[in-house]
Amino acid sequence: MILKVSLLLIFFTITVFVGLYFRKRVSSVNDFVLGGRSVGPWISAFSFGATYFSAVVFVGYAGQFGWRFGTAAIWIGLGNAFIGSLMAWIVLGRRTRVMTNHLKSATMPEFFGSRYFSPALKIGSALIVFVFLIPYTASLYNGLSRLFAMAFNVPFEYCIIAMGILTAVFVVAGGYFATAVNDFIQGTITAIGITVVVIAILKQNGGFSVAMDSLARIPDDSVAPGAYTSFFGPDPIALLGVIILTSLGTWGLPQMVARFYSIKSEKMITKGAVVSTFFGLLVAGGCYFLGTFGRLYGDVVEANEVGDVVFDSIIPIMVSSLPEVMIALVLVMVFAASISTLSSLVLTSASTLTLDFLKGHIIKKMSEKQQLAIIRALIVVFIAISSVISILQYKGGISFIAQLMGVSWGALAGSFLAPFLYGLYWKRTSTLSVWCCFIFSTGLMTLNIFLRGSFPAILQSPINAGAFAMLAGLAIVPLVSAFTKAPSRDSVDRCFSCYEHEVKVKVRDDLGY
């Protein structure tokens, strides 16, 4: 217990120190929200990865999908690394940095308002961000609480209070600078932690070959023998839905795309892509690889009243069998991963609500100092709201982390992915097509919450519904744009003029022929 508490106190101290240290570098809204667009490649890449992966992946997704798909769950980690990280940097990185800087957009809603010449779009997208980031935040608390209950036997509420206070202190103090630097530190802890835990679990089960053989021999009347060690697992369609949601989803999540706003130079894109991909392979790949062996602990995994497995208990039970020093490391690792994601979520939500909803609409005139004060106040408010909802959700027995995240990601990425992607590349994208995408995705995920039983069987899962919303958006935007009024050519040309500026480069970067 002394070891666990000591490691956590050291982690808390470093986190708070970083927040207070970077407070002096925050002199404007641009500094607080974007770090002055001057954050280096390693910190940005780790910030991208640390925001991406949290307790939701380690506790919720790794446990549930490792149990459902066996070794095929590793495909999810590969998708996260190559589609969610590498391709996101390559496809979105440069164009996002150039156009958002050209349009002076600090948030995704602000980008929509400027790119599509619609203040209403900015307000609508800001409300979507604020509403649908809440269930994602609640899922972070849920995952963390199970590990803390296992290690400390403390009430869930205490865990939430500690996590909320720590996040509020360093984000309110240092803004994006503090968040990004802490993400680097926390990402390093996460990468080391998941590597050590995977090795320990494999060793505990006799090594890789013995563990795989044991997994292949597990009897299950619902699947073919050896299905849990097969290439695509027992349910390839469901597996594909998870890969789409968790990988392609990053392209439309405001807290992820914001990492591209602060790209400092061209070289940073290449470094960021490589580092974030490697980080994704190590962390996401490691988490899902670990989860594949959850069935080896089937005799001690929790079950609910009707006998169904409580997926969120799988990873905590696996970890509880490790030595105390390993459990202490996992606690710090998961706390670090959750704090990094939570800080990005609350910073995104508070800045979006302030800059895109309150400023110029509710409060007509807002000075720089007032904007910073309101953003900081809303960070605290958002943490408080999500904490209360998380406690109510926990006491109400809604314990499946993956479903909470599926609703949030489905609504946000389903609404924003296509309008943002087409907005960067295609001049013909119409304002009405963006509205159609917003309405379809938020409507679909809202109905999935309340009328899930009325959906087709394949879409009753929030994860599949979220994946469907993303893919549908990619079709809705061009189809509606083709039959609706095109935006003003001159206005669009002004937006895209940022890509036409000539720059000089060295011969090693371009032959010049």
Side-chain angles (χ1 to χ4, degrees):
M1 184 63 70
I2 293 175
L3 177 64
K4 296 171 190 173
V5 173
S6 298
L7 286 177
L8 284 174
L9 287 177
I10 292 171
F11 172 74
F12 291 171
T13 302
I14 293 173
T15 301
V16 172
F17 172 78
V18 169
L20 296 177
Y21 176 80
F22 281 100
R23 180 180 176 85
K24 61 185 178 182
R25 295 188 61 175
V26 178
S27 59
S28 67
V29 172
N30 186 55
D31 290 339
F32 192 85
V33 177
L34 298 177
R37 298 185 189 265
S38 60
V39 180
W42 280 86
I43 291 179
S44 290
F46 267 73
S47 181
F48 184 91
T51 301
Y52 196 168
F53 308 114
S54 65
V56 175
V57 173
F58 183 75
V59 178
Y61 271 30
Q64 175 169 343
F65 299 129
W67 184 277
R68 288 179 58 189
F69 305 129
T71 55
I74 297 172
W75 284 109
I76 307 172
L78 295 176
N80 293 174
F82 290 106
I83 300 174
S85 298
L86 178 63
M87 292 304 296
W89 276 84
I90 292 173
V91 175
L92 300 178
R94 179 184 293 102
R95 282 184 172 256
T96 298
R97 171 63 173 86
V98 172
M99 187 174 281
T100 56
N101 185 54
H102 175 66
L103 298 177
K104 295 180 173 55
S105 303
T107 65
M108 185 177 277
E110 196 169 16
F111 169 81
F112 287 137
S114 300
R115 168 62 182 83
Y116 296 110
F117 324 107
S118 172
L121 268 181
K122 183 172 76 169
I123 295 173
S125 54
L127 292 175
I128 292 173
V129 169
F130 188 72
V131 170
F132 285 98
L133 278 183
I134 291 175
Y136 188 12
T137 309
S139 68
L140 295 178
Y141 287 125
N142 194 344
L144 195 62
S145 68
R146 287 189 170 273
L147 284 173
F148 267 70
M150 175 269 293
F152 294 107
N153 194 29
V154 295
F156 177 59
E157 294 83 350
Y158 294 168
C159 175
I160 288 182
I161 292 171
M163 185 172 173
I165 292 175
L166 182 62
T167 305
V169 168
F170 82 81
V171 179
V172 167
Y176 187 89
F177 279 119
T179 300
V181 172
N182 269 322
D183 284 349
F184 179 79
I185 297 170
Q186 293 154 4
T188 303
I189 295 172
T190 303
I192 294 172
I194 191 61
T195 302
V196 172
V197 171
V198 168
I199 293 172
I201 291 294
L202 286 177
K203 184 177 179 181
Q204 188 180 72
N205 287 279
F208 176 73
S209 298
V210 174
M212 290 292 286
D213 183 65
S214 300
L215 186 63
R217 295 174 183 274
I218 290 177
D220 191 333
D221 296 335
S222 63
V223 299
Y228 295 114
T229 55
S230 62
F231 198 66
F232 289 120
D235 193 349
I237 301 299
L239 175 64
L240 179 62
V242 178
I243 294 172
I244 292 172
L245 179 79
T246 61
S247 302
L248 195 60
T250 61
W251 295 32
L253 294 176
Q255 73 272 20
M256 301 299 299
V257 174
R259 269 53 198 161
F260 302 136
Y261 292 13
S262 60
I263 291 175
K264 190 175 182 179
S265 66
E266 179 69 25
K267 293 180 182 178
M268 182 174 161
I269 297 175
T270 303
K271 289 182 180 179
V274 172
V275 173
S276 65
T277 302
F278 179 75
F279 185 86
L281 284 172
L282 192 62
V283 176
C287 285
Y288 289 111
F289 179 71
L290 176 67
T292 63
F293 300 105
R295 284 184 176 268
L296 299 182
Y297 298 79
D299 55 335
V300 291
V301 168
E302 290 182 24
N304 58 22
E305 311 81 53
V306 296
D308 295 330
V309 171
V310 178
F311 295 122
D312 300 345
S313 71
I314 295 173
I315 298 297
I317 286 175
M318 294 174 68
V319 171
S320 68
S321 63
L322 297 176
E324 287 298 313
V325 65
M326 291 286 188
I327 295 176
L329 177 62
V330 170
L331 284 173
V332 176
M333 177 191 76
V334 177
F335 202 91
S338 299
I339 285 287
S340 62
T341 303
L342 179 62
S343 61
S344 297
L345 294 179
V346 297
L347 180 59
T348 298
S349 184
S351 58
T352 295
L353 194 64
T354 301
L355 302 178
D356 304 322
F357 184 73
L358 297 178
K359 181 184 175 182
H361 302 286
I362 306 300
I363 304 175
K364 297 299 181 181
K365 292 183 179 181
M366 192 184 297
S367 67
E368 190 96 356
K369 187 176 181 180
Q370 287 176 319
Q371 292 174 47
L372 279 172
I374 292 174
I375 291 174
R376 283 174 163 141
L378 284 176
I379 287 172
V380 176
V381 170
F382 186 75
I383 289 174
I385 292 174
S386 58
S387 299
V388 170
I389 291 176
S390 183
I391 292 173
L392 294 175
Q393 166 260 325
Y394 181 80
K395 291 185 177 296
I398 308 171
S399 59
F400 293 116
I401 298 174
Q403 277 64 33
L404 288 173
M405 183 175 168
V407 170
S408 177
W409 278 43
L412 290 166
S415 296
F416 299 152
L417 189 158
F420 190 76
L421 180 62
Y422 287 119
L424 294 175
Y425 281 90
W426 191 34
K427 295 182 179 181
R428 182 63 178 76
T429 311
S430 70
T431 303
L432 184 58
S433 71
V434 178
W435 275 118
C436 289
C437 194
F438 285 3
I439 294 169
F440 175 82
S441 296
T442 55
L444 178 72
M445 298 312 299
T446 302
L447 290 174
N448 186 267
I449 295 173
F450 299 105
L451 300 174
R452 187 166 298 162
S454 302
F455 276 57
I458 193 172
L459 294 181
Q460 289 185 7
S461 163
I463 294 166
N464 288 344
F468 176 73
M470 294 179 202
L471 296 179
L474 292 172
I476 288 171
V477 170
L479 284 174
V480 175
S481 295
F483 294 99
T484 53
K485 182 181 178 181
S488 166
R489 184 182 183 89
D490 290 340
S491 298
V492 174
D493 285 344
R494 282 196 296 272
C495 290
F496 278 78
S497 65
C498 57
Y499 299 140
E500 307 302 325
H501 295 166
E502 293 185 0
V503 295
K504 292 181 179 181
V505 297
K506 294 183 178 181
V507 173
R508 68 167 179 262
D509 298 319
D510 193 317
L511 292 175
Y513 299 136

